[in-house]
Amino acid sequence: MRVIRTIAQIFILWVFYYIGVLIVEWTGIFIPPSIVGLVLLWGLLMLNVINVKYIQDGAGFLIAFLTLFFIPSTVGVVEYPELLTVSGLLLVLAVFLSTVITIIIAGKVSQFIEQKEQAVREEAEHAGITHHH
């Protein structure tokens, strides 16, 4: 049952990607469709239109295999020896720093959201306890 649920949740994520594709095609904006779909999904999650439980397992599965998506680009570097010059070193440094900054920001945002959710849960529990007295 969990496999079917995970596949269904990956399908939901895929649908958001294709909604992003449609939006980019219709509007002609210069933002990658995956980002448009991701922002749309994020907005619906933040507005509680979609419950995170509907995508949690599928997203977790995809994140577990995320490093596989970077292998082709890493292997491709071997075909371009000019990347091993000073300019290439600066490029690698820029990629490294932007990755670290992204990880830090994502971590901080995740902690903020987790704290906010925890506060809401505690407030709901406290309100439930108060009403029973």
Side-chain angles (χ1 to χ4, degrees):
M1 185 67 180
R2 182 180 174 125
V3 172
I4 294 171
R5 183 177 59 234
T6 302
I7 291 170
Q9 290 180 3
I10 290 172
F11 179 76
I12 291 170
L13 295 169
W14 178 77
V15 166
F16 274 93
Y17 166 74
Y18 276 100
I19 291 172
V21 169
L22 290 174
I23 291 172
V24 168
E25 286 179 5
W26 290 340
T27 62
I29 58 175
F30 297 104
I31 300 174
S34 57
I35 301 299
V36 173
L38 185 65
V39 168
L40 178 63
L41 176 61
W42 174 77
L44 293 175
L45 286 168
M46 293 304 293
L47 294 172
N48 291 323
V49 174
I50 294 178
N51 190 326
V52 73
K53 293 177 186 175
Y54 296 154
I55 61 162
Q56 192 168 14
D57 292 337
F61 177 82
L62 292 175
I63 288 173
F65 293 99
L66 187 64
T67 54
L68 292 177
F69 297 115
F70 292 107
I71 291 173
S73 59
T74 305
V75 172
V77 169
V78 174
E79 295 183 23
Y80 298 98
E82 60 270 11
L83 289 175
L84 302 176
T85 63
V86 173
S87 297
L89 179 63
L90 292 175
L91 177 64
V92 169
L93 182 63
V95 169
F96 176 77
L97 289 176
S98 64
T99 302
V100 168
I101 291 169
T102 301
I103 290 170
I104 291 170
I105 291 172
K108 294 294 183 186
V109 169
S110 296
Q111 287 176 343
F112 173 77
I113 291 171
E114 181 64 28
Q115 290 171 352
K116 187 175 178 182
E117 288 176 352
Q118 182 65 30
V120 168
R121 282 193 296 266
E122 289 175 0
E123 186 176 306
E125 289 174 6
H126 181 67
I129 292 170
T130 306
H131 291 294
H132 292 297
H133 289 278

mmCIF file of all heavy atoms in Angstrom, residues 98-123:
data_model
loop_
_atom_site.group_PDB
_atom_site.id
_atom_site.type_symbol
_atom_site.label_atom_id
_atom_site.label_comp_id
_atom_site.label_asym_id
_atom_site.label_seq_id
_atom_site.Cartn_x
_atom_site.Cartn_y
_atom_site.Cartn_z
ATOM 1 N N SER A 98 27.269 28.742 -3.463
ATOM 2 C CA SER A 98 25.820 28.888 -3.648
ATOM 3 C C SER A 98 25.081 27.671 -3.094
ATOM 4 O O SER A 98 23.995 27.803 -2.535
ATOM 5 C CB SER A 98 25.478 29.107 -5.122
ATOM 6 O OG SER A 98 25.825 27.976 -5.895
ATOM 7 N N THR A 99 25.679 26.494 -3.224
ATOM 8 C CA THR A 99 25.066 25.288 -2.655
ATOM 9 C C THR A 99 25.018 25.370 -1.134
ATOM 10 O O THR A 99 23.995 25.076 -0.518
ATOM 11 C CB THR A 99 25.848 24.031 -3.099
ATOM 12 O OG1 THR A 99 25.854 23.973 -4.528
ATOM 13 C CG2 THR A 99 25.227 22.773 -2.531
ATOM 14 N N VAL A 100 26.122 25.789 -0.522
ATOM 15 C CA VAL A 100 26.166 25.903 0.938
ATOM 16 C C VAL A 100 25.151 26.939 1.421
ATOM 17 O O VAL A 100 24.410 26.702 2.384
ATOM 18 C CB VAL A 100 27.594 26.257 1.414
ATOM 19 C CG1 VAL A 100 27.610 26.657 2.877
ATOM 20 C CG2 VAL A 100 28.537 25.089 1.173
ATOM 21 N N ILE A 101 25.079 28.065 0.737
ATOM 22 C CA ILE A 101 24.126 29.113 1.121
ATOM 23 C C ILE A 101 22.694 28.602 0.980
ATOM 24 O O ILE A 101 21.855 28.828 1.855
ATOM 25 C CB ILE A 101 24.355 30.389 0.287
ATOM 26 C CG1 ILE A 101 25.688 31.029 0.695
ATOM 27 C CG2 ILE A 101 23.206 31.369 0.439
ATOM 28 C CD1 ILE A 101 26.156 32.141 -0.232
ATOM 29 N N THR A 102 22.426 27.872 -0.107
ATOM 30 C CA THR A 102 21.090 27.314 -0.317
ATOM 31 C C THR A 102 20.732 26.322 0.780
ATOM 32 O O THR A 102 19.612 26.330 1.308
ATOM 33 C CB THR A 102 21.008 26.629 -1.690
ATOM 34 O OG1 THR A 102 21.311 27.593 -2.702
ATOM 35 C CG2 THR A 102 19.638 26.037 -1.938
ATOM 36 N N ILE A 103 21.684 25.472 1.149
ATOM 37 C CA ILE A 103 21.431 24.494 2.210
ATOM 38 C C ILE A 103 21.155 25.204 3.532
ATOM 39 O O ILE A 103 20.236 24.824 4.279
ATOM 40 C CB ILE A 103 22.622 23.521 2.339
ATOM 41 C CG1 ILE A 103 22.667 22.599 1.121
ATOM 42 C CG2 ILE A 103 22.544 22.715 3.623
ATOM 43 C CD1 ILE A 103 23.927 21.759 1.033
ATOM 44 N N ILE A 104 21.930 26.232 3.836
ATOM 45 C CA ILE A 104 21.728 26.975 5.087
ATOM 46 C C ILE A 104 20.355 27.638 5.107
ATOM 47 O O ILE A 104 19.616 27.536 6.090
ATOM 48 C CB ILE A 104 22.855 28.016 5.287
ATOM 49 C CG1 ILE A 104 24.178 27.298 5.577
ATOM 50 C CG2 ILE A 104 22.502 28.989 6.407
ATOM 51 C CD1 ILE A 104 25.394 28.210 5.553
ATOM 52 N N ILE A 105 19.994 28.298 4.001
ATOM 53 C CA ILE A 105 18.694 28.972 3.947
ATOM 54 C C ILE A 105 17.561 27.955 4.033
ATOM 55 O O ILE A 105 16.592 28.160 4.778
ATOM 56 C CB ILE A 105 18.580 29.826 2.667
ATOM 57 C CG1 ILE A 105 19.539 31.016 2.762
ATOM 58 C CG2 ILE A 105 17.150 30.308 2.447
ATOM 59 C CD1 ILE A 105 19.659 31.829 1.491
ATOM 60 N N ALA A 106 17.679 26.845 3.303
ATOM 61 C CA ALA A 106 16.637 25.811 3.353
ATOM 62 C C ALA A 106 16.507 25.253 4.765
ATOM 63 O O ALA A 106 15.395 25.016 5.249
ATOM 64 C CB ALA A 106 16.953 24.696 2.360
ATOM 65 N N GLY A 107 17.636 25.052 5.438
ATOM 66 C CA GLY A 107 17.605 24.552 6.812
ATOM 67 C C GLY A 107 16.924 25.531 7.753
ATOM 68 O O GLY A 107 16.106 25.139 8.592
ATOM 69 N N LYS A 108 17.263 26.805 7.631
ATOM 70 C CA LYS A 108 16.663 27.819 8.498
ATOM 71 C C LYS A 108 15.163 27.935 8.252
ATOM 72 O O LYS A 108 14.373 28.052 9.191
ATOM 73 C CB LYS A 108 17.337 29.188 8.287
ATOM 74 C CG LYS A 108 18.781 29.227 8.731
ATOM 75 C CD LYS A 108 18.902 29.067 10.218
ATOM 76 C CE LYS A 108 20.347 29.182 10.661
ATOM 77 N NZ LYS A 108 20.513 28.901 12.073
ATOM 78 N N VAL A 109 14.759 27.907 6.972
ATOM 79 C CA VAL A 109 13.332 27.984 6.648
ATOM 80 C C VAL A 109 12.609 26.755 7.193
ATOM 81 O O VAL A 109 11.517 26.866 7.764
ATOM 82 C CB VAL A 109 13.120 28.124 5.122
ATOM 83 C CG1 VAL A 109 11.665 27.932 4.741
ATOM 84 C CG2 VAL A 109 13.609 29.484 4.649
ATOM 85 N N SER A 110 13.225 25.575 7.049
ATOM 86 C CA SER A 110 12.624 24.346 7.585
ATOM 87 C C SER A 110 12.472 24.424 9.096
ATOM 88 O O SER A 110 11.438 24.030 9.645
ATOM 89 C CB SER A 110 13.475 23.133 7.214
ATOM 90 O OG SER A 110 13.499 22.961 5.826
ATOM 91 N N GLN A 111 13.493 24.926 9.782
ATOM 92 C CA GLN A 111 13.402 25.074 11.237
ATOM 93 C C GLN A 111 12.302 26.048 11.620
ATOM 94 O O GLN A 111 11.538 25.802 12.558
ATOM 95 C CB GLN A 111 14.740 25.555 11.805
ATOM 96 C CG GLN A 111 15.810 24.504 11.799
ATOM 97 C CD GLN A 111 17.148 25.054 12.279
ATOM 98 O OE1 GLN A 111 17.363 26.263 12.332
ATOM 99 N NE2 GLN A 111 18.055 24.153 12.621
ATOM 100 N N PHE A 112 12.193 27.153 10.885
ATOM 101 C CA PHE A 112 11.154 28.146 11.159
ATOM 102 C C PHE A 112 9.767 27.529 10.985
ATOM 103 O O PHE A 112 8.890 27.688 11.844
ATOM 104 C CB PHE A 112 11.321 29.349 10.231
ATOM 105 C CG PHE A 112 10.195 30.340 10.318
ATOM 106 C CD1 PHE A 112 10.113 31.214 11.390
ATOM 107 C CD2 PHE A 112 9.222 30.383 9.337
ATOM 108 C CE1 PHE A 112 9.066 32.123 11.483
ATOM 109 C CE2 PHE A 112 8.176 31.283 9.417
ATOM 110 C CZ PHE A 112 8.097 32.159 10.494
ATOM 111 N N ILE A 113 9.583 26.791 9.892
ATOM 112 C CA ILE A 113 8.283 26.168 9.636
ATOM 113 C C ILE A 113 7.976 25.125 10.699
ATOM 114 O O ILE A 113 6.853 25.044 11.189
ATOM 115 C CB ILE A 113 8.253 25.553 8.217
ATOM 116 C CG1 ILE A 113 8.269 26.677 7.170
ATOM 117 C CG2 ILE A 113 7.037 24.658 8.024
ATOM 118 C CD1 ILE A 113 8.461 26.193 5.752
ATOM 119 N N GLU A 114 8.969 24.329 11.072
ATOM 120 C CA GLU A 114 8.779 23.311 12.102
ATOM 121 C C GLU A 114 8.404 23.957 13.437
ATOM 122 O O GLU A 114 7.503 23.486 14.141
ATOM 123 C CB GLU A 114 10.037 22.460 12.270
ATOM 124 C CG GLU A 114 9.913 21.380 13.302
ATOM 125 C CD GLU A 114 8.874 20.319 12.977
ATOM 126 O OE1 GLU A 114 8.610 20.085 11.785
ATOM 127 O OE2 GLU A 114 8.318 19.752 13.923
ATOM 128 N N GLN A 115 9.063 25.050 13.798
ATOM 129 C CA GLN A 115 8.737 25.742 15.048
ATOM 130 C C GLN A 115 7.326 26.304 15.004
ATOM 131 O O GLN A 115 6.585 26.244 15.989
ATOM 132 C CB GLN A 115 9.744 26.859 15.323
ATOM 133 C CG GLN A 115 11.122 26.347 15.701
ATOM 134 C CD GLN A 115 12.150 27.453 15.754
ATOM 135 O OE1 GLN A 115 11.901 28.586 15.374
ATOM 136 N NE2 GLN A 115 13.349 27.107 16.221
ATOM 137 N N LYS A 116 6.943 26.840 13.842
ATOM 138 C CA LYS A 116 5.601 27.393 13.691
ATOM 139 C C LYS A 116 4.552 26.286 13.806
ATOM 140 O O LYS A 116 3.545 26.458 14.497
ATOM 141 C CB LYS A 116 5.493 28.084 12.327
ATOM 142 C CG LYS A 116 4.221 28.843 12.120
ATOM 143 C CD LYS A 116 4.255 29.590 10.798
ATOM 144 C CE LYS A 116 2.956 30.311 10.565
ATOM 145 N NZ LYS A 116 2.923 31.005 9.290
ATOM 146 N N GLU A 117 4.807 25.142 13.158
ATOM 147 C CA GLU A 117 3.882 24.016 13.251
ATOM 148 C C GLU A 117 3.805 23.488 14.679
ATOM 149 O O GLU A 117 2.727 23.132 15.156
ATOM 150 C CB GLU A 117 4.304 22.893 12.304
ATOM 151 C CG GLU A 117 4.074 23.213 10.846
ATOM 152 C CD GLU A 117 4.585 22.126 9.916
ATOM 153 O OE1 GLU A 117 5.260 21.178 10.397
ATOM 154 O OE2 GLU A 117 4.311 22.217 8.728
ATOM 155 N N GLN A 118 4.930 23.421 15.361
ATOM 156 C CA GLN A 118 4.953 22.951 16.741
ATOM 157 C C GLN A 118 4.147 23.889 17.640
ATOM 158 O O GLN A 118 3.390 23.438 18.509
ATOM 159 C CB GLN A 118 6.398 22.835 17.257
ATOM 160 C CG GLN A 118 6.521 22.314 18.674
ATOM 161 C CD GLN A 118 6.039 20.875 18.817
ATOM 162 O OE1 GLN A 118 6.127 20.099 17.881
ATOM 163 N NE2 GLN A 118 5.543 20.536 19.973
ATOM 164 N N ALA A 119 4.287 25.194 17.420
ATOM 165 C CA ALA A 119 3.534 26.168 18.215
ATOM 166 C C ALA A 119 2.035 26.013 17.973
ATOM 167 O O ALA A 119 1.234 26.087 18.919
ATOM 168 C CB ALA A 119 3.980 27.586 17.873
ATOM 169 N N VAL A 120 1.652 25.769 16.731
ATOM 170 C CA VAL A 120 0.230 25.579 16.415
ATOM 171 C C VAL A 120 -0.289 24.312 17.084
ATOM 172 O O VAL A 120 -1.388 24.304 17.649
ATOM 173 C CB VAL A 120 0.018 25.526 14.877
ATOM 174 C CG1 VAL A 120 -1.374 25.045 14.526
ATOM 175 C CG2 VAL A 120 0.289 26.890 14.261
ATOM 176 N N ARG A 121 0.510 23.230 17.043
ATOM 177 C CA ARG A 121 0.098 21.973 17.694
ATOM 178 C C ARG A 121 -0.047 22.164 19.200
ATOM 179 O O ARG A 121 -1.017 21.706 19.803
ATOM 180 C CB ARG A 121 1.110 20.868 17.409
ATOM 181 C CG ARG A 121 0.979 20.260 16.025
ATOM 182 C CD ARG A 121 1.789 18.976 15.901
ATOM 183 N NE ARG A 121 3.221 19.194 16.055
ATOM 184 C CZ ARG A 121 4.057 19.390 15.060
ATOM 185 N NH1 ARG A 121 3.625 19.409 13.828
ATOM 186 N NH2 ARG A 121 5.342 19.578 15.283
ATOM 187 N N GLU A 122 0.930 22.846 19.808
ATOM 188 C CA GLU A 122 0.871 23.077 21.254
ATOM 189 C C GLU A 122 -0.320 23.955 21.627
ATOM 190 O O GLU A 122 -0.982 23.725 22.628
ATOM 191 C CB GLU A 122 2.177 23.705 21.738
ATOM 192 C CG GLU A 122 3.343 22.741 21.719
ATOM 193 C CD GLU A 122 4.654 23.406 22.082
ATOM 194 O OE1 GLU A 122 4.671 24.632 22.349
ATOM 195 O OE2 GLU A 122 5.678 22.698 22.087
ATOM 196 N N GLU A 123 -0.587 24.952 20.788
ATOM 197 C CA GLU A 123 -1.727 25.831 21.051
ATOM 198 C C GLU A 123 -3.030 25.049 20.937
ATOM 199 O O GLU A 123 -3.940 25.220 21.745
ATOM 200 C CB GLU A 123 -1.721 26.991 20.053
ATOM 201 C CG GLU A 123 -2.772 28.031 20.321
ATOM 202 C CD GLU A 123 -2.653 29.195 19.369
ATOM 203 O OE1 GLU A 123 -1.548 29.783 19.282
ATOM 204 O OE2 GLU A 123 -3.658 29.526 18.716
#
